[in-house]
């Protein structure tokens, strides 16, 4: 007669066992949230039972577990239409979505309905929160970087200082900016597509997710990463970069250093932001729609709701950058491959989002698995 909860492969599962060995066992695949509002959810998830499991005849010591495809996910919640009770000799209820319907039986219809209602309420709340943040992000995206704005300029210089604390900028406009993956001597010209939000996000990456950021900085700088973080060698490197740029002003940082991966780190970040907006389907045409509108629905928005984190958007960006670097290194790509690599990155993320990852840690695991696959592939080639 007891009930208990377990976690299997990052999914919360409720199991209820009947009071005798011949009783029915019920299993429930529950929607899982990173930071659930327990006052709303836990009360009902503990009593909800759903999937029916029977003892096969003649095998009293063996349990045959029959679990159909997962019924509920965030994608199902956003397409949910209604639930209704079906009057039959046995108790049934019908669940209807926009694209399908299902008739199921349970002896706890009331608690199931309460459970579903709680999840719907919780999801709608998280969706509104994420869409409101997207609207704020859009405003920052539309705010152009202004070289006359002290706040903008200070933020840009702070970005440099936390990346290269031992190397001083020789000037506000300097070829040294190419070390951070800007295209020219003035980073302001690269922010035009994403506005000040591009700088906000790059700064978040370098400041809040430093271990991930350093992976890319090491990849693009190569062995020079050690030099730029050395009090003794950083100044000499700065002078060398400026000297080379005086004679060859269009040369990229990777060629100046004669090492490192041939992609501009910050410019890649700006392009990744553009790709994220594409994955979200966010454009100027929908930005004024209410937060509850269906126009905001996307697999990526579902993922951000499931993560239920304040900086889920920014952390998704950081992981996208790591995936970009992984693919770039595997293909031994050059600057001319940039567009193809971006298309491959967005294609992989689209497939992963369709598989319904439920937290940032799971997305990180998918990237690690992909990196492992690449290592095994490279080993096989050798």
């Amino acid at each position: 007669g007891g009930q208990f909860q377990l976690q299997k492969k990052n999914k919360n599962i409720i199991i209820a066992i009947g009071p005798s060995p011949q009783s029915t066992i019920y299993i429930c695949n529950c929607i899982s949230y990173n930071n659930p509002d327990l006052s709303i959810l836990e009360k009902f998830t503990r009593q909800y039972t759903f999937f029916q499991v029977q003892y096969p005849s003649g095998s009293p010591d063996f349990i045959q577990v029959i679990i159909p495809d997962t019924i509920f996910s965030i994608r199902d919640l956003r397409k949910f239409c209604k639930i209704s009770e079906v009057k039959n000799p046995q108790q049934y209820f019908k669940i209807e979505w926009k694209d399908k319907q299902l008739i199921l039986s349970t002896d706890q219809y009331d608690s199931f309905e309460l459970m579903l209602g709680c999840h719907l309420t919780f999801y709608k709340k998280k969706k509104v929160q994420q869409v409101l943040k997207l609207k704020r992000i859009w405003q920052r995206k539309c705010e152009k970087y202004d070289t006359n704005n002290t706040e903008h300029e200070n933020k840009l210089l702070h970005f440099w200082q936390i990346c290269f604390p031992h190397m001083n900028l020789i000037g506000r406009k300097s070829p040294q900016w190419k070390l951070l993956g800007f295209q020219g001597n003035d980073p302001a010209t690269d922010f035009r597509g994403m506005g000040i939000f591009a700088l906000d996000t790059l700064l978040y990456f370098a400041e809040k997710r430093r271990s991930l950021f350093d992976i890319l900085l090491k990849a693009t700088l190569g062995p020079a990463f050690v030099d730029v973080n050395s009090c003794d060698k950083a100044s000499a490197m700065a002078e060398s970069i400026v000297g080379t740029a005086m004679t060859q002003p269009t040369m990229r940082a990777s060629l100046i250093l004669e090492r490192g991966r041939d992609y501009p780190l910050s410019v890649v970040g700006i392009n990744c932001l553009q790709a994220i907006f594409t994955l979200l389907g966010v454009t100027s045409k929908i930005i004024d729609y209410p937060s509850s509108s269906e126009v905001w629905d996307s697999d990526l928005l579902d993922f951000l709701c499931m993560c239920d984190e304040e900086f889920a958007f920014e952390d998704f960006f950081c992981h996208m950058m790591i995936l970009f670097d992984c693919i770039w290194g595997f293909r031994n790509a050059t600057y001319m491959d940039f567009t193809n690599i971006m298309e491959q990155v967005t294609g992989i993320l689209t497939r992963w989002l369709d598989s319904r990852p439920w937290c940032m840690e799971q997305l990180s695991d998918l990237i690690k698995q992909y990196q492992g696959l690449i290592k095994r592939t490279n080993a096989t080639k050798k």
Side-chain angles (χ1 to χ4, degrees), residues 17-261:
I17 301 178
S20 68
Q22 289 74 34
S23 297
T24 299
I25 296 177
Y26 296 94
I27 296 180
C28 162
N29 281 327
C30 294
I31 304 161
S32 179
Y33 299 94
N34 237 16
N35 301 300
D37 184 347
L38 296 180
S39 63
I40 297 177
L41 293 178
E42 187 172 342
K43 176 182 177 182
F44 297 109
T45 56
R46 288 189 180 278
Q47 64 175 301
Y48 165 53
T49 59
F50 184 59
F51 295 130
Q52 188 169 340
V53 183
Q54 299 284 359
Y55 279 93
S57 59
S59 304
D61 297 324
F62 173 74
I63 300 175
Q64 180 184 8
V65 180
I66 305 171
I67 305 179
D69 293 338
T70 302
I71 304 300
F72 297 101
S73 67
I74 285 293
R75 175 163 48 182
D76 289 322
L77 279 178
R78 79 180 189 212
K79 294 181 179 180
F80 176 79
C81 292
K82 67 178 181 178
I83 175 175
S84 55
E85 198 167 2
V86 179
K87 300 298 182 181
N88 276 308
Q90 292 183 327
Q91 190 176 19
Y92 289 89
F93 61 91
K94 181 167 67 174
I95 310 171
E96 296 182 56
W97 294 269
K98 293 179 182 178
D99 54 354
K100 62 181 178 180
Q101 67 177 26
L102 195 64
I103 296 179
L104 299 156
S105 64
T106 181
D107 58 0
Q108 296 188 20
Y109 172 81
D110 292 341
S111 60
F112 169 78
E113 193 170 23
L114 287 170
M115 165 81 171
L116 180 60
C118 287
H119 282 308
L120 284 168
T121 300
F122 194 79
Y123 168 65
K124 289 176 182 178
K125 175 183 174 183
K126 294 305 172 186
K127 177 184 175 182
V128 168
Q129 290 175 346
Q130 287 296 334
V131 171
L132 288 175
K133 178 173 181 177
L134 288 178
K135 290 187 175 188
R136 292 193 295 270
I137 286 174
W138 186 267
Q139 291 176 345
R140 293 290 284 174
K141 171 185 174 296
C142 294
E143 181 180 345
K144 295 181 180 179
Y145 185 94
D146 184 0
T147 55
N148 295 317
N149 186 313
T150 303
E151 179 187 349
H152 292 185
E153 287 286 281
N154 288 342
K155 185 172 288 190
L156 179 61
L157 293 175
H158 181 55
F159 181 45
W160 174 269
Q161 289 164 1
I162 62 174
C163 293
F164 302 130
H166 300 298
M167 182 188 290
N168 294 324
L169 277 170
I170 292 177
R172 162 60 182 79
K173 295 181 180 181
S174 167
Q176 291 168 273
W177 286 109
K178 293 181 180 181
L179 290 175
L180 282 176
F182 292 102
Q183 296 184 96
N185 295 347
D186 186 1
T189 59
D190 289 325
F191 293 134
R192 284 173 292 192
M194 285 286 117
I196 191 62
F197 179 64
L199 179 56
D200 290 342
T201 312
L202 289 170
L203 187 58
Y204 175 88
F205 193 11
E207 199 166 30
K208 304 299 183 181
R209 297 291 180 263
R210 188 55 193 248
S211 61
L212 294 178
F213 184 80
D214 279 350
I215 291 173
L216 304 193
L217 204 55
K218 287 178 182 178
T220 54
L221 296 182
F225 177 81
V226 176
D227 295 341
V228 297
N229 285 285
S230 166
C231 295
D232 298 330
K233 299 180 179 180
S235 297
M237 176 175 282
E239 293 175 2
S240 174
I241 291 170
V242 172
T244 303
M246 291 290 289
T247 56
Q248 302 180 68
T250 61
M251 184 175 288
R252 297 190 299 277
S254 61
L255 300 181
I256 292 175
L257 297 172
E258 297 181 354
R259 49 196 149 181
R261 290 184 180 166

